[in-house]
Amino acid sequence: MDELLIKQLESMALEIALAAGSLLVNERPVHLSVDTKTSETDVVTAMDKAAEAFIVESIKAERPNDVFLGEEGSVNISPNPSNVQWIVDPIDGTVNYLHRHPIWSVSIGVKVDHITQIGVVHAPLLRETYLAVKGQGAFLINETGKQKISISRNTTLGHTLVATGFSYESEKRKKHSKVISEISDKVRDFRRDGSAAIDLCMVGLGRVDAYFETGLHPWDYTAGALFVQEAGGVTGGLAGEPLNDELAIAANPGVFNEFATLIRDNYQKFYLSLRFK
Ligand code: LIP
């Protein structure tokens, strides 16, 4: 892999995520306009759109031929598209942002030739940034500097602290609640923080041991999934599949297999429509 290119993409992703974070904190209007998307609870604010436009313009200014996949619909029609794709969620945890709840993030994943090389998740109100560079590790950046981090060492399913999230679709939410109820006596406890990108990074940091959710999109998980892998963790989906929109599972290597089997078995039970190999 071209080290100079990776270095450039890493510093661009970091710089632009931090600048977008400042915009979202400092330029939030008193009266924030809100629209809905797939359901009454699936909201998008004017700041989601403003932050995504800022991120895309900032990237295009330096790399005009790169390709985009943005939650708010950004694409880049370049006559000769490059082999670099930016997967952008300007606010992961929009409902939290709307409610002035601190758990939200700017998530930027960068793929080169379809492989994720860089993942940046910036959580301005937590004063933390989570950086992963493929083959180079996962890092926590905060006021005390940049530290290389590693995942938790827990190997007992019953001691596993699980992060999870609910879809905006009410039918899926009901099924998810059944899965949670079914596994609730087999794990330590649950955390529902409201940002998949942050949830995945909390697995990488060892602040939780496992995470699962269904119905996500690449902009929710691309950066966070690399962070888990570079921290020494494991990610996956349905049996034999990578972590994807249908099912996202991440955990430390000590509990992944047992945890993934538990989740897959219960999805079979409650999500019968799901394709199962
Ligand atoms: C959110 C995810 C969260 C999930 C929400 C939503 P958004 O992304 O981060 O984990 O539970 O349903 O998908 O919409 O805030 O970018």
Side-chain angles (χ1 to χ4, degrees), residues 173-209:
R173 273 217 291 274
K174 273 193 245 167
K175 290 176 181 171
H176 198 74
S177 310
K178 289 185 182 146
V179 173
I180 289 179
S181 150
E182 197 70 20
I183 71 171
S184 56
D185 60 343
K186 299 188 182 58
V187 298
R188 180 189 295 276
D189 200 349
F190 299 98
R191 293 291 176 270
R192 198 305 189 230
D193 283 342
S195 162
I198 291 180
D199 287 334
L200 285 161
C201 293
M202 292 301 157
V203 173
L205 288 156
R207 294 176 186 171
V208 298
D209 304 294

Side-chain angles (χ1 to χ4, degrees), residues 134-201:
K134 190 167 178 60
Q136 299 179 29
F139 306 88
L140 167 63
I141 303 170
N142 57 19
E143 278 131 2
T144 61
K146 179 180 175 182
Q147 305 108 46
K148 196 163 186 177
I149 58 98
S150 61
I151 207 150
S152 74
R153 297 278 161 240
N154 165 40
T155 58
T156 311
L157 188 62
H159 296 166
T160 295
L161 184 59
V162 178
T164 191
F166 292 80
S167 162
Y168 288 124
E169 295 165 47
S170 55
E171 269 318 297
K172 277 196 176 159
R173 273 217 291 274
K174 273 193 245 167
K175 290 176 181 171
H176 198 74
S177 310
K178 289 185 182 146
V179 173
I180 289 179
S181 150
E182 197 70 20
I183 71 171
S184 56
D185 60 343
K186 299 188 182 58
V187 298
R188 180 189 295 276
D189 200 349
F190 299 98
R191 293 291 176 270
R192 198 305 189 230
D193 283 342
S195 162
I198 291 180
D199 287 334
L200 285 161
C201 293

Side-chain angles (χ1 to χ4, degrees), residues 64-67 76-84:
N65 296 323
D66 286 358
V67 180
N76 186 18
I77 314 294
S78 158
N80 48 353
S82 81
N83 62 340
V84 174

Side-chain angles (χ1 to χ4, degrees), residues 26-236:
N26 304 325
E27 297 179 32
R28 176 187 174 134
V30 177
H31 303 295
L32 179 61
S33 80
V34 183
D35 285 325
T36 56
K37 297 196 284 189
T38 59
S39 75
E40 196 50 34
T41 56
D42 182 4
V43 292
V44 57
T45 73
M47 290 307 284
D48 291 83
K49 296 173 185 165
E52 183 158 309
F54 168 82
I55 292 168
V56 168
E57 286 321 306
S58 307
I59 295 166
K60 276 167 85 173
E62 276 188 65
R63 298 186 52 86
N65 296 323
D66 286 358
V67 180
F68 295 94
L69 175 61
E71 175 165 12
E72 307 318 334
S74 298
V75 287
N76 186 18
I77 314 294
S78 158
N80 48 353
S82 81
N83 62 340
V84 174
Q85 182 188 34
W86 298 77
I87 298 153
V88 175
D89 192 338
I91 311 179
D92 188 53
T94 298
V95 172
N96 284 348
Y97 181 81
L98 180 61
H99 288 257
R100 294 187 184 280
H101 182 295
I103 309 266
W104 56 268
S105 61
V106 178
S107 178
I108 299 179
V110 190
K111 290 190 172 185
V112 179
D113 297 323
H114 310 293
I115 296 173
T116 310
Q117 296 292 332
I118 309 284
V120 172
V121 175
H122 173 51
L125 300 186
L126 301 181
R127 297 176 179 285
E128 293 188 334
T129 303
Y130 317 115
L131 166 68
V133 182
K134 190 167 178 60
Q136 299 179 29
F139 306 88
L140 167 63
I141 303 170
N142 57 19
E143 278 131 2
T144 61
K146 179 180 175 182
Q147 305 108 46
K148 196 163 186 177
I149 58 98
S150 61
I151 207 150
S152 74
R153 297 278 161 240
N154 165 40
T155 58
T156 311
L157 188 62
H159 296 166
T160 295
L161 184 59
V162 178
T164 191
F166 292 80
S167 162
Y168 288 124
E169 295 165 47
S170 55
E171 269 318 297
K172 277 196 176 159
R173 273 217 291 274
K174 273 193 245 167
K175 290 176 181 171
H176 198 74
S177 310
K178 289 185 182 146
V179 173
I180 289 179
S181 150
E182 197 70 20
I183 71 171
S184 56
D185 60 343
K186 299 188 182 58
V187 298
R188 180 189 295 276
D189 200 349
F190 299 98
R191 293 291 176 270
R192 198 305 189 230
D193 283 342
S195 162
I198 291 180
D199 287 334
L200 285 161
C201 293
M202 292 301 157
V203 173
L205 288 156
R207 294 176 186 171
V208 298
D209 304 294
Y211 165 73
F212 76 105
E213 187 158 359
T214 184
L216 294 174
H217 302 283
W219 45 77
D220 297 314
Y221 57 73
T222 299
L226 182 68
F227 191 87
V228 172
Q229 292 149 9
E230 286 299 318
V234 186
T235 60

